Amino acid sequence: VTFQRPADGMLGVGQLRTPFGQTSDDDTKYNAWTLVLDAQNFAGPVYYTLPQHWQDYKWDPSLPDFSTAGMTSNGNGFEWNTMEVLALSHMDYPDTQYIKLPRMAFPLDRPGANTTMLMAGFRSWTEGALYGPLQAALNGSEWDESSVLQYDDGQIDPCSGEQDEPSDLSFMNLPFGIGATRRNQRTRLCPAYLQWGSSANCTGGWCHVPEYARVSVNAAGKPTFISPARTASLPSWARSLLTASLPAKPADNIRYSALGSSTGTCFSNPGPADPKMYCTRTASGTWISYRWYRFVDQPALQRLKLTAGQQQYMQSRVERLHAMLESGGRWLKTPEGMPQLATIDPALLTTPPPGLSRGYVPVALYEGAERHADCAAPSGSPPPKPPPPTPPTLRPN
């Protein structure tokens, strides 16, 4: 997910069990884990995971998995991963390396604060908090989103009393001093946050991670110690890092395509409801291309080989869901004391074409650094200019 810049704020995330995947009233064998988001400009369900997703990747088919009825989830976690860095070493100094990190900064919770909240408000609910009311609404009962997933109705057993648990940030599994301490505070919000000290580089409401670091390595080349390095302290042999650029991934490495030779029959049979290719460019510069499908005609569902009756059951329920969502409201309730919510990149928010507002979904077919050739002209673009007239050919009499 990309965010409107500057990307400042919290994102509400829920992995919740819903009845979205049912193909009949008595189809309750599997869990349908559903991603629900809560942001400034979007609130509600995004997708649910097919049971086959979990079953496809099991090393032992006889074991239970997240699709198994009765299986529960303990929530979410997060981490930095696959971070690109530049490293320099010198043959005369085999025990030392200098590295360049991507530019990173953390927003302060509010003006004058010295903390950055990382995660807070964790809760788990019983089925009566969402699954039951949602099932009734999809079957035709009245829907009231204000009554579901009430924050104080959620359970969070480990979070009680007042206690801080300081720990250092780390990089390459080594403590990395950036002037902050991570704390887990046992209060109503159960926040995990960074508390910035006087040595931190905090300006304009943001605290900046050092861009350069000195790494000590042992004879086997394994890092043993890492510390921030100021630009003025870089030795002459490492100062080329100041002007060096971090490696960019080739376009082919970040590209997804279900078009051309990559297209399976599930994309064209039954096929999209609107053949037009819609395209958008995200805040990160990536292009996404998509088409609109009737819900039960989308490629991911074709492997289920649904009967006509099952298709009608699912389609009517998703049309009712879309009608419910038109009234707005928030499924996840932002608790008091939370910093402002983040704003999702508007390029990721789609508007259905006329006549496709209920029961139709956008399906991404391409993502890459370049705009796909099949993209329709952007809305409001002027028509192409006609070619200049060809001058008459003069022929002698």
Side-chain angles (χ1 to χ4, degrees), residues 212-238:
Y212 303 94
R214 181 182 183 276
V215 182
S216 299
V217 296
N218 59 21
K222 182 178 179 180
T224 59
F225 181 79
I226 183 171
S227 61
R230 297 183 180 277
T231 56
S233 68
L234 295 179
S236 58
W237 58 267

Side-chain angles (χ1 to χ4, degrees), residues 17-30:
R17 183 172 181 261
T18 69
F20 289 158
Q22 286 186 215
T23 59
S24 64
D25 286 337
D26 57 358
D27 179 18
T28 57
K29 182 179 179 182
Y30 298 112

Side-chain angles (χ1 to χ4, degrees), residues 43-390:
V46 179
Y47 66 79
Y48 74 90
T49 306
L50 291 176
Q52 287 75 11
H53 170 78
W54 310 108
Q55 297 165 4
D56 284 349
Y57 297 98
K58 288 196 302 186
W59 64 274
D60 185 346
S62 65
L63 293 176
D65 56 62
F66 278 114
S67 71
T68 307
M71 182 70 74
T72 60
S73 170
N74 289 327
N76 302 287
F78 63 91
E79 64 180 71
W80 292 342
N81 213 336
T82 60
M83 183 186 296
E84 295 281 356
V85 301
L86 282 177
L88 281 181
S89 58
H90 194 284
M91 61 183 300
D92 293 336
Y93 307 95
D95 59 349
T96 302
Q97 292 180 347
Y98 283 88
I99 61 175
K100 183 174 186 175
L101 305 172
R103 291 181 179 177
M104 296 176 287
F106 292 84
L108 292 172
D109 289 336
R110 59 186 181 280
N114 69 339
T115 58
T116 297
M117 188 176 291
L118 300 175
M119 178 183 284
F122 173 72
R123 286 291 186 271
S124 61
W125 289 271
T126 62
E127 287 195 352
L130 177 65
Y131 189 98
L134 187 56
Q135 179 76 289
L138 293 177
N139 287 333
S141 298
E142 185 177 352
W143 168 250
D144 178 15
E145 79 287 335
S146 65
S147 65
V148 302
L149 299 175
Q150 291 293 321
Y151 182 75
D152 287 330
D153 292 341
Q155 303 170 3
I156 180 65
D157 295 336
C159 195
S160 61
E162 292 280 350
Q163 182 180 351
D164 288 344
E165 299 175 357
S167 63
D168 293 328
L169 291 179
S170 63
F171 181 70
M172 300 168 61
N173 295 321
L174 297 170
F176 185 49
I178 64 173
T181 300
R182 184 177 64 86
R183 298 185 181 277
N184 299 315
Q185 192 174 38
R186 298 181 184 272
T187 62
R188 179 174 176 269
L189 280 181
C190 304
Y193 62 94
L194 296 178
Q195 183 170 327
W196 300 93
S198 58
S199 63
N201 178 17
C202 299
T203 57
W206 293 79
C207 292
H208 302 268
V209 174
E211 194 174 354
Y212 303 94
R214 181 182 183 276
V215 182
S216 299
V217 296
N218 59 21
K222 182 178 179 180
T224 59
F225 181 79
I226 183 171
S227 61
R230 297 183 180 277
T231 56
S233 68
L234 295 179
S236 58
W237 58 267
R239 296 191 69 80
S240 60
L241 287 175
L242 298 175
T243 55
S245 299
L246 292 170
K249 291 183 179 180
D252 286 346
N253 286 355
I254 62 172
R255 186 166 127 176
Y256 157 79
S257 179
L259 300 170
S261 59
S262 302
T263 304
T265 58
C266 58
F267 289 89
S268 57
N269 185 19
D274 180 357
K276 178 180 176 181
M277 181 74 77
Y278 294 83
C279 300
T280 185
R281 191 168 188 260
T282 69
S284 67
T286 298
W287 282 92
I288 298 176
S289 303
Y290 59 96
R291 287 191 172 106
W292 286 87
Y293 285 74
R294 192 169 72 115
F295 182 81
V296 296
D297 292 342
Q298 62 181 295
L301 292 182
Q302 300 318 300
R303 64 179 297 177
L304 302 184
K305 302 187 183 304
L306 301 172
T307 66
Q310 290 172 326
Q311 288 185 8
Q312 183 176 357
Y313 181 90
M314 294 188 75
Q315 185 66 28
S316 63
R317 281 163 64 95
V318 80
E319 290 174 8
R320 192 171 293 120
L321 171 67
H322 287 170
M324 290 159 45
L325 295 175
E326 290 173 359
S327 62
R330 295 185 176 273
W331 291 23
L332 299 176
K333 311 300 188 290
T334 308
E336 291 184 19
M338 192 74 71
Q340 70 176 14
L341 294 176
T343 300
I344 291 176
D345 183 357
L348 299 181
L349 305 181
T350 59
T351 300
L356 304 184
S357 60
R358 295 182 182 179
Y360 297 83
V361 292
V363 175
L365 303 175
Y366 167 88
E367 180 178 3
E370 302 296 331
R371 188 172 185 267
H372 196 273
D374 291 345
C375 292
S379 177
S381 297
K385 295 181 180 180
T390 303

